[in-house]
Amino acid sequence: MDINKIKIAICSNSDNAEGNVSNRFARCDFYTIYDSKTLGFTFVENTAKDSVSGAGAKAAKIVSTLGVDVVLVPELGPKAFEALEAFEIKAYQYGNKNYSVRDALYEFYENKLPELLNPSGKSKHS
Amino acid sequence: MVNEIAIISGKGGTGKTTLALCIIPYFDSLVIADCDVDAPDLNILLSKEIVETTDFIGFQRPVINYDDCINCSLCHQKCNFGAITEDIVVKKGVCEGCNVCEYVCPTNAISMVDNKIGAIYKRNTPFGTMIDARLIPGEESSGKLVSEVRKLSNESALQESKKTIIIDGSPGIACNVISTISGVSKALIVTEPTESGIHDLKRVLTLSKLFSVQAKVIINKYDLNMGKTNDIIDYCELNESEVILKMPFNKEIVNSISDLKIPSINNIDFFESKEWLDFISYIKKSETLN
Amino acid sequence: MKIAILSGKGGTGKTTLSVNLFSILNKGVLIDTDTEEPNSHIFLKGTNVSTSEVYKNHPVVNYEKCDFCGNCGDHCNFNAIIPTKTKVIVFEDLCHDCGFCEIVCPTGAISYKQKVIGTIHTKEITKNKKYHYGKLSIGEISGVRLIESLKEMTDNEETLIIDCPPGVSCSTVAAISNVDYAIVCAEPTPFGISDMKMVVELLREEDIKFGVVVNKSGIGNDDIYDYLKQEEIPLLAKIPFTKERALLYSNSKLITKYDLKFNEIMKDIVKITSGENHG
């Protein structure tokens, strides 16, 4: 993976790169998409947010249709994890940090975010 | 991390809500979540003061436009839930909101509309913010409503920097209970010394294990049947759990609830006992641990 | 006559009332629809007649036929089937078994696989009396399918007593479908009243005739009687709380066999409710 040719999605609370990262993957308000080829940001509203059931799996599907290679997440439930893996999207974890989307991106490029190799907890069945 | 303590029981009416009420006054940094959305009762003693009400929308429901309906009966045939009758009437309580009827209708006579299945309340109580919810009687997907109460109470705890969430659960072992216990730090199972109580305890303990939740057992009204109480203690020992509290049958506790007073702060001897205070320090231990 | 016995709150005495009413009948059938925590069998005992399994379907994909068009995923409202470019993931526990994925699959790649979600047990007490109870497998999210099976099995019974699950959600709705009368079992405490109100709301919505039995009378207070009077809801009986009854219950005994007064109360309830049928 050439980290200068990839698209990265970051779970966000707003459509602003200076806004805070979200503490939820499936039910965050926006995905901020950073394209390392063009160095540009785009913001996509998360339509999985209001799913009554299976929001995690749906969110994975949404980021896959955005052509993303990597997602930066607080944590991942087992269903979101399994779906992202199937879409061949790698997840890196910023955990419960409360900082800006741009900060998370810096940390990713500084190799400070660990890759998530296992889902974070037991499933909430919805 | 917020410390989440869920109070559950397989069998209903063993005293979950009463126990929740009794332990609440001992926590200084607390959010309360009433996840018994079929029968939410904590608010009766804690607070009538609603700060915020949010409608909870479940899966969409079909509405039939009879002007366009040609009575082809495809929607009735294709519905796996029997939610559309032969004479093309939607049965509300059984529809699961899959949208198949809308898709198979050849004349587009069916449209799916939002459906409110309950409401979620945020309240102020003397002991901290409380989130509770009420399912509209007869509605489906109460597990989802429980998840939403959990989510909002977590958000409140995070915003207000509270350390503990006490969750009052519902009876049973299905979706409501699974949503109540998944991911909690600790579960307290309230049971009673009856054959039914033991039968139901076994099932809910197995469920806790399946979801990797550490569960401790409380026997309420233990003195009503000492034989059964001992059976429960033995069973727990054999099954990697433990009875951490035995509460006697006490009319004062029932009367206190009837007077809308929290029993543990209403001058009842039992709550001065060493057993009770040890139990409180046990459940509070995890508060400082994190 | 089909009678449902229910309560919003758990532990108010649904099962006690159901099995004891059943015990004084000469013939009839009882079903225990509290599939999460069935208890009737603990009291009724009897001999095993049969056990059957209840299934739920979930989709499986035949990769020889699948062309990864993504239709199944686009239509599933529960996000239970997620197609990627190379495989299709199915989350069994999210699947509601609605059949949509099969309907929209253009290549016929989807078929269904059965999974056991619980069992139904039938026991006989005498020649003319038997009962069925459903037992949901632990970890399953809904007992509605089991309840529907129990109801189908007993659709033609003349005398049927239905021990319902607590609460007012979909399982209770399934349990009370097509009943002639409902008995609400409530206890005279603030929680009991609050939970009973939710059941009353449900029964009125479903247009089912009902009356209330106040169990454990003597504990709590009198607010419940004021409420019943105000709402013009018939009070069928008051069953006083006694330690002896609690002890009999805890040892899974039928109270009618030991307690004459209790036996009389059960007879009265049967009389009133069967009168309802003709009137």
Side-chain angles (χ1 to χ4, degrees):
Chain A
M1 182 173 71
D2 181 346
I3 56 170
N4 294 312
K5 283 184 184 162
I6 56 171
K7 269 188 174 180
I8 302 169
I10 306 109
C11 307
S12 321
N13 281 338
S14 62
D15 53 353
N16 182 345
E18 311 311 324
N20 272 7
V21 291
S22 170
N23 60 359
R24 303 175 72 88
F25 165 67
R27 294 185 194 270
C28 66
D29 292 317
F30 289 90
Y31 294 108
T32 301
I33 312 296
Y34 173 72
D35 187 335
S36 58
K37 277 187 272 185
T38 64
L39 309 182
F41 288 102
T42 43
F43 305 93
V44 180
E45 220 174 304
N46 175 16
T47 50
K49 190 178 71 156
D50 298 319
S51 302
V52 183
S53 141
K58 186 167 181 199
K61 200 170 141 195
I62 289 170
V63 292
S64 90
T65 56
L66 297 169
V68 159
D69 307 282
V70 163
V71 282
L72 308 188
V73 299
E75 58 175 6
L76 284 179
K79 295 204 173 77
F81 183 86
E82 192 183 334
L84 282 174
E85 200 174 39
F87 285 117
E88 295 172 6
I89 296 170
K90 285 186 184 310
Y92 290 82
Q93 187 176 24
Y94 53 76
N96 55 2
K97 284 185 199 128
N98 218 353
Y99 56 15
S100 74
V101 168
R102 200 183 287 277
D103 289 339
L105 209 51
Y106 283 145
E107 285 204 347
F108 170 73
Y109 276 104
E110 287 164 6
N111 259 327
K112 282 186 184 159
L113 299 184
E115 187 177 348
L116 247 179
L117 300 171
N118 291 299
S120 315
K122 273 280 172 182
S123 162
K124 304 205 164 134
H125 85 272
S126 51
Chain B
M1 276 293 277
V2 186
N3 177 34
E4 290 181 276
I5 304 172
I7 302 173
I8 53 170
S9 77
K11 184 172 172 354
T14 55
K16 283 179 296 299
T17 303
T18 302
L19 184 84
L21 284 167
C22 290
I23 65 178
I24 282 169
Y26 296 90
F27 290 84
D28 322 312
S29 181
L30 186 68
V31 169
I32 303 157
D34 192 343
C35 286
D36 192 358
V37 299
D38 284 51
D41 289 338
L42 277 178
N43 68 83
I44 298 171
L45 269 75
L46 289 178
S47 169
K48 296 283 171 204
E49 186 195 339
I50 297 173
V51 190
E52 206 181 307
T53 304
T54 325
D55 283 347
F56 187 67
I57 309 294
F59 291 111
Q60 293 189 316
R61 291 285 179 266
V63 171
I64 294 165
N65 177 351
Y66 291 100
D67 291 340
D68 293 338
C69 176
I70 52 168
N71 276 314
C72 69
S73 161
L74 263 178
C75 53
H76 163 71
Q77 288 162 31
K78 292 290 179 185
C79 178
N80 271 2
F81 309 104
I84 299 183
T85 60
E86 245 167 292
D87 37 358
I88 321 298
V89 176
V90 179
K91 281 165 76 181
K92 184 181 117 190
V94 285
C95 171
E96 298 194 12
C98 69
N99 294 27
V100 163
C101 52
E102 180 196 33
Y103 181 84
V104 298
C105 177
T107 60
N108 292 325
I110 297 179
S111 45
M112 301 298 292
V113 298
D114 279 349
N115 179 44
K116 179 183 165 183
I117 62 164
I120 302 175
Y121 309 102
K122 186 173 183 173
R123 302 174 198 256
N124 285 332
T125 81
F127 309 99
T129 300
M130 173 161 104
I131 311 287
D132 64 331
R134 187 177 184 276
L135 183 77
I136 293 175
E139 282 295 349
E140 204 240 347
S141 42
S142 42
K144 317 294 190 267
L145 189 53
V146 170
S147 298
E148 196 64 16
V149 172
R150 291 272 312 271
K151 184 186 123 191
L152 292 177
S153 54
N154 265 297
E155 281 175 11
S156 284
L158 223 56
Q159 273 165 20
E160 304 168 19
S161 309
K162 294 292 168 73
K163 288 186 200 147
T164 303
I165 301 175
I166 289 180
I167 306 170
D168 188 10
S170 56
I173 58 158
C175 66
N176 284 358
V177 182
I178 293 174
S179 297
T180 301
I181 62 167
S182 61
V184 301
S185 340
K186 193 179 279 181
L188 301 174
I189 303 177
V190 186
T191 188
E192 60 182 32
T194 66
E195 196 62 44
S196 317
I198 296 174
H199 175 268
D200 298 352
L201 169 69
K202 288 178 183 171
R203 281 167 67 81
V204 79
L205 258 178
T206 311
L207 184 78
S208 312
K209 253 188 221 167
L210 195 65
F211 281 79
S212 315
V213 172
Q214 187 203 5
K216 304 278 179 182
V217 175
I218 291 156
I219 310 177
N220 193 14
K221 311 176 203 167
Y222 80 94
D223 47 350
L224 282 182
N225 190 326
M226 281 313 293
K228 299 285 179 212
T229 288
N230 290 330
D231 289 349
I232 295 173
I233 295 172
D234 292 347
Y235 179 83
C236 290
E237 258 172 33
L238 282 172
N239 288 278
E240 300 152 41
S241 187
E242 185 192 351
V243 173
I244 48 162
L245 178 71
K246 293 182 299 187
M247 286 177 77
F249 174 75
N250 187 333
K251 274 208 174 170
E252 282 179 304
I253 295 177
V254 187
N255 292 339
S256 179
I257 299 272
S258 292
D259 295 341
L260 304 182
K261 286 182 180 146
I262 295 176
S264 60
I265 47 174
N266 195 25
N267 296 318
I268 295 172
D269 283 347
F270 173 73
F271 298 104
E272 308 285 324
S273 70
K274 183 172 180 304
E275 202 183 355
W276 173 256
L277 296 172
D278 283 350
F279 165 69
I280 292 294
S281 54
Y282 165 79
I283 50 171
K284 286 194 74 174
K285 221 184 278 164
S286 35
E287 189 182 30
T288 47
L289 227 103
N290 288 295
Chain C
M1 180 90 179
K2 294 190 174 73
I3 301 177
I5 294 163
L6 72 169
S7 75
K9 188 176 177 327
T12 58
K14 282 179 300 298
T15 300
T16 305
L17 195 57
S18 304
V19 297
N20 282 289
L21 277 177
F22 190 56
S23 75
I24 61 164
L25 300 177
N26 295 322
K27 55 176 188 168
V29 173
L30 176 144
I31 51 177
D32 185 347
T33 60
D34 185 1
T35 62
E36 296 177 47
E37 298 290 17
N39 288 150
S40 297
H41 62 287
I42 297 173
F43 299 88
L44 292 174
K45 301 174 177 79
T47 50
N48 245 331
V49 178
S50 66
T51 302
S52 57
E53 288 174 327
V54 174
Y55 305 94
K56 198 188 103 175
N57 292 321
H58 61 85
V60 280
V61 177
N62 177 348
Y63 286 113
E64 277 166 21
K65 290 185 181 169
C66 177
D67 63 1
F68 302 96
C69 69
N71 266 356
C72 52
D74 291 343
H75 286 90
C76 177
N77 228 356
F78 311 105
N79 299 314
I81 186 162
I82 306 281
T84 73
K85 284 174 201 136
T86 52
K87 66 174 181 179
V88 181
I89 313 173
V90 174
F91 295 112
E92 283 169 36
D93 58 335
L94 293 180
C95 177
H96 284 230
D97 187 11
C98 69
F100 213 162
C101 49
E102 187 189 21
I103 295 174
V104 297
C105 177
T107 61
I110 288 178
S111 57
Y112 290 92
K113 197 178 159 183
Q114 287 188 329
K115 182 188 173 199
V116 177
I117 58 158
T119 45
I120 286 185
H121 305 260
T122 299
K123 293 192 175 188
E124 201 173 75
I125 301 166
T126 65
K127 238 186 200 168
N128 298 322
K129 271 170 82 174
K130 61 179 177 185
Y131 68 100
H132 316 274
Y133 66 98
K135 202 168 187 176
L136 184 69
S137 302
I138 294 169
E140 285 300 328
I141 59 171
S142 167
V144 171
R145 290 268 156 118
L146 273 87
I147 298 172
E148 284 168 354
S149 302
L150 287 166
K151 297 282 291 192
E152 275 164 31
M153 288 165 76
T154 53
D155 203 29
N156 296 321
E157 293 299 338
E158 240 171 68
T159 307
L160 182 68
I161 289 181
I162 304 161
D163 185 5
C164 294
V168 290
S169 66
C170 42
S171 347
T172 308
V173 173
I176 61 175
S177 67
N178 298 323
V179 299
D180 302 304
Y181 193 80
I183 301 176
V184 180
C185 191
E187 57 181 44
T189 62
F191 300 159
I193 296 173
S194 166
D195 299 346
M196 178 183 66
K197 284 180 184 169
M198 291 185 74
V199 179
V200 168
E201 199 179 313
L202 175 68
L203 290 169
R204 285 184 172 157
E205 169 81 30
E206 302 282 322
D207 206 12
I208 295 170
K209 245 184 166 181
F210 66 95
V212 170
V213 169
V214 174
N215 192 18
K216 308 182 201 172
S217 65
I219 66 164
N221 57 33
D222 285 343
D223 292 352
I224 195 166
Y225 307 108
D226 297 338
Y227 169 79
L228 294 178
K229 204 176 266 173
Q230 192 189 317
E231 292 286 319
E232 296 177 13
I233 298 169
L235 172 64
L236 303 174
K238 286 201 238 182
I239 306 175
F241 173 84
T242 69
K243 280 209 175 183
E244 291 71 30
R245 283 172 194 158
L247 190 64
L248 284 168
Y249 172 85
S250 73
N251 286 322
S252 52
K253 301 276 191 253
L254 288 168
I255 304 171
T256 45
K257 290 196 175 154
Y258 303 86
D259 183 333
L260 267 178
K261 256 193 198 146
F262 188 89
N263 202 319
E264 289 303 314
I265 298 173
M266 293 299 114
K267 278 185 186 159
D268 286 345
I269 296 174
V270 169
K271 219 180 280 167
I272 301 172
T273 48
S274 48
E276 281 293 338
N277 196 26
H278 304 122

